[in-house]
Each structure stands twice: as structure tokens, then as C-alpha cells.
Amino acid sequence: MQKLSSRRTTFLSFQPPAIGPEEVAAVTETLDSGWLTTGPRAAELERRVAELAGARHAVALSSGTAALHLSLAGLGIGPGDEVITSPITWPATGNVIVHLGARPVFVDVRDDDLNIDPALAVKAVTPRTKALLPVDLAGQPADLDPLVATGLPVVEDAAHAIEAEYRGRKIGAIAHATCFSLYATKNVAAGEGGIVTTDDDDLAEAILEYRLTRRGDGSLYDVRVAGFKANLSDIHAAIALCQLDKLERHAEIRARHVESYDAAMAELPGITPLARDPRDRHSLHLYVVRIDPEIAGADRDAYQRALAEEKIGTSIHFLPVHRLTYYRERFPDQPALPIAERAGREVLSLPLSPAHSDADIADAIEALRRVHAGFSR
Ligand SMILES: Cc1ncc(COP(=O)(O)O)c(C=O)c1O
């Protein structure tokens, strides 16, 4: 029998940021420069991300949520409109639709990768539908072609997917607007931040208008729309620029960790990673497994508690948004979405960050093996 190693003595964080001396120096330089708010570093970030995405425009914003919100606002979405989206996402994806007075129409996901089912999304289109909002869950691009083929604007929630490619094409210029997050855990982690890429000149201009309440020429300013305060500071942009420099190096580390996980999961009945489409480049942002309690001997919540006792941090991506209190109360006529609802009870995200060492991931795997052995005895 294989000998299992002993428990960790320190808690393994689920997704610690991989910050080094470069980021510290870049922040210090920014502070010394005297320019703290949106300035040359944010502009440089926009240039770099537009180039990476192969898009005409990139607009840096204060969060991924703002990127989604201002993209929909820039498309003129408002009361009476419907936006079709995925229930397996962070609630911000639905919230921004609600903020604009529109209705989120949640459709079910595919059982293998938990991304929006394109056939169901297309079927849900009505004359009130003004946009489709797919999510690239965990870093697997949504199936964009059938959504784009509807002719409706596609606003892609690519919060997890900055390096991703869909059928050989870089994410960032396939959808009408692609929204990235620079949140602390993301593949480009600035602490907070977001960025939209688009080829649509008018949309880019509209997002710029909404980004800051005050815009103007020369010494005067004017207000043409009631904008928001959603600009990115140069302090955050400086961190994001360093993280962009490390994008491929970090991706290699995560790929190594994912390989270790894949090998281990193949030997743990009842624990199955989400599917990754070999035609695409997955950004490997999250390693999400599904725990089938019938086979794995216990449900996801029991596994999460047992792993915490083993000092292994995990997370849940995601609980189905339409089942959260606000959405249940506000949209009581939302139909059941059986695949999403089952997935919401089964998903568990294992530790994955370029800040993790190979030994950290080995600890997570050993702990999961021990827990699995205990439950499936
Ligand atoms: C799928 C998804 N969409 C949107 C967001 C919102 O991004 P932010 O936290 O930068 O506002 C997040 C995460 O944070 C996310 O995971």
C-alpha cells in the first residue's frame, strides 16, 4: 500500500497572489512619480492588453464588474431589455444586468465544462434580448461561435481567461466586448481592476464616457452622460504590467500543477475535473472538480470541511446565481436549471496559483487522497 505523507503544519491558501520584487519596485516607482490615479501606466496597460487580445481598443477599469457593467451600459442596455447569461458564475455577472434595469435570463450549462449551453442560449432569444453574456468558467472559453452567429452583441465574461484561445483565436476580439478582471486571485492580479477589449470604436468611446464622470477638453469640462467612477489607478496598473510580463511563466507553473492534479484525479473515483476542450487554450485559472457523493463517499461540503481540517484551502466556483436569495426573490418565475443546480452542490476548487510550490500541490493531493480513502472506506 502507498504510504501517505503526514499533514501540513501550516494552512495552504487556496489562491495566494504571486507577487515579487518587480511589483514592489513598480509600485514604489509609481508613488515616487507623483502620478497615482489613471495616467501613463494605465495607458501602457491598455496598449499591452489590446495588443495581447488583438483588439483595437482596451479600456482599463476599476474592476471586472465595472468592465461588464460599462460594456452593457455602453451598448445601451436598460429597462425592459433581457440579457442571456450563465448561472454558474460570480454573482457580479447577473448583478450588472440588474443594475441597468434589465432582466438576466439564466439558461442551463453543459454538464462537462459548466459553460453556458449555446443551444439553450440561442433558444432563449426573444425580441427583448439585447445581448448574450457567456462566462469562460475556470479559463475554458465558452462556445462563442453559435452565440456570435445570433447577430446579437456578445459581452464575454473573461474574468478567468486572459491567456485563453478559442479554436485557435485569442480571446479578446471574438466577442463584441471581452471583460477581464485583475482581482487579487486572477491570472493577472493587480489587487483590483478590470479591462474591456473591443473592436467597436463607438463602444470604446461610450465606456470611456462612463468610466469617469468628468471628461473635457482643455480647462473646461462637460457631462454628457451620468458616468461612474470606474477608472483604474496607476498604482494598480503598475502591478498589472509586471504580472503581464510574467504571464507565460506563471502559466507554465499552473500547467505543471494541473498535470499533477489530473494524474491524481484519475485514481480517485467520484472526483472528476471539469472538461477542457483540446481545441482551445484553457487559461488554467481554476482547478475545479466535481464530487459525486454516491461514488466519493461524501458530499462536496464534507470534503471541503475535511480538507480544511487537513489545512488545505479550497473554494466554490460557483453556486448557481439564480438560486441565491436576491435572485430567487426578485425573479420567482425563473425556471429550474437542473444541470447548474446539481453542479452547484458538487463543485470544489482545489488550490491553484503560480505562488504554490510543487510540494504545496503534492500536499493538497495527498490530503485529498487521505480524505477520499476515509470517506470511501
Ligand atoms: C466569473 C467572474 N465574473 C466577474 C467577476 C468580477 O470581477 P471583479 O472581482 O474584478 O469585479 C469575477 C471575479 O471576481 C468572476 O470570477
Side-chain angles (χ1 to χ4, degrees):
M1 212 180 105
Q2 189 179 12
K3 184 168 177 319
L4 298 178
S5 58
S6 57
R7 284 187 178 80
R8 279 179 72 91
T9 50
T10 56
F11 193 80
L12 182 65
S13 296
F14 162 66
Q15 226 166 21
I19 295 295
E22 300 82 1
E23 284 82 355
V24 174
V27 168
T28 305
E29 269 170 38
T30 308
L31 296 175
D32 285 342
S33 78
W35 194 279
L36 307 187
T37 185
T38 310
R41 287 166 179 83
E44 169 74 357
L45 179 68
E46 289 172 337
R47 197 190 58 69
R48 293 264 308 269
V49 172
E51 189 182 297
L52 178 76
R56 282 166 63 81
H57 305 279
V59 184
L61 296 162
S62 53
S63 67
T65 304
L68 293 165
H69 184 195
L70 299 202
S71 296
L72 295 178
L75 288 167
I77 284 156
D81 295 338
E82 292 178 354
V83 177
I84 295 170
T85 193
S86 169
I88 298 293
T89 184
W90 181 240
T93 316
N95 294 348
V96 295
I97 301 169
V98 173
H99 290 162
L100 290 165
R103 183 191 169 101
V105 175
F106 297 103
V107 301
D108 217 343
V109 292
R110 298 189 295 207
D111 205 29
D112 60 352
D113 64 4
L114 304 184
N115 274 338
I116 196 165
D117 183 324
L120 295 178
V122 170
K123 223 167 102 188
V125 171
T126 73
R128 290 182 299 281
T129 307
K130 292 297 175 330
L132 301 160
L133 208 176
V135 178
D136 302 329
L137 184 68
Q140 167 61 50
D143 194 359
L144 295 170
D145 281 342
L147 306 180
V148 171
T150 61
L152 288 160
V154 175
V155 175
E156 182 180 355
D157 183 337
H160 298 177
I162 193 150
E163 308 99 321
E165 292 172 17
Y166 172 74
R167 312 291 193 264
R169 286 172 287 158
K170 182 75 196 72
I171 286 295
I174 301 171
H176 204 102
T178 307
C179 301
F180 301 103
S181 167
L182 310 176
Y183 178 67
T185 58
K186 298 297 191 278
N187 289 8
V188 172
E192 297 287 353
I195 197 154
V196 183
T197 57
T198 182
D199 278 343
D200 179 340
D201 299 348
D202 293 339
L203 179 60
E205 189 53 36
I207 295 170
L208 280 171
E209 286 264 12
Y210 279 121
R211 178 169 82 170
L212 270 179
T213 297
R214 225 173 63 163
R215 271 191 101 209
D217 304 316
S219 58
L220 294 178
Y221 65 83
D222 193 13
V223 171
R224 285 181 292 188
V225 295
F228 302 91
K229 189 68 167 63
N231 52 309
L232 185 74
S233 81
D234 259 25
I235 303 169
H236 290 96
I239 304 171
L241 284 166
C242 295
Q243 294 269 297
L244 270 184
D245 290 338
K246 300 176 181 179
L247 199 61
E248 288 307 321
R249 190 148 36 99
H250 284 173
E252 280 167 25
I253 299 171
R254 286 197 314 275
R256 206 169 63 229
H257 295 338
V258 164
E259 212 178 301
S260 304
Y261 276 137
D262 280 348
M265 297 316 135
E267 293 173 3
L268 294 176
I271 304 186
T272 316
L274 296 190
R276 303 192 294 273
D277 193 322
R279 292 171 293 182
D280 300 331
R281 177 175 179 193
H282 193 293
S283 76
L284 307 179
H285 171 57
L286 297 169
Y287 195 86
V288 180
V289 294
R290 290 179 72 169
I291 298 179
D292 181 340
E294 297 293 317
I295 305 170
D299 66 12
R300 184 269 319 280
D301 296 351
Y303 266 84
Q304 186 170 40
R305 280 193 300 272
L307 285 168
E309 278 168 25
E310 293 270 354
K311 295 193 160 58
I312 303 297
T314 57
S315 190
I316 293 172
H317 300 86
F318 289 101
L319 299 176
V321 177
H322 68 291
R323 287 291 177 214
L324 301 176
T325 303
Y326 174 83
Y327 285 88
R328 266 194 287 111
E329 290 175 0
R330 173 84 186 261
F331 305 107
D333 53 342
Q334 163 71 44
L337 303 172
I339 298 176
E341 286 162 32
R342 178 167 178 196
R345 294 189 293 273
E346 293 185 350
V347 285
L348 186 67
S349 302
L350 302 178
L352 181 62
S353 160
H356 288 135
S357 66
D358 292 354
D360 290 332
I361 300 301
D363 284 346
I365 290 170
E366 284 307 311
L368 186 57
R369 282 201 183 117
R370 255 194 309 273
V371 169
H372 184 269
F375 283 137
S376 53
R377 232 194 315 257

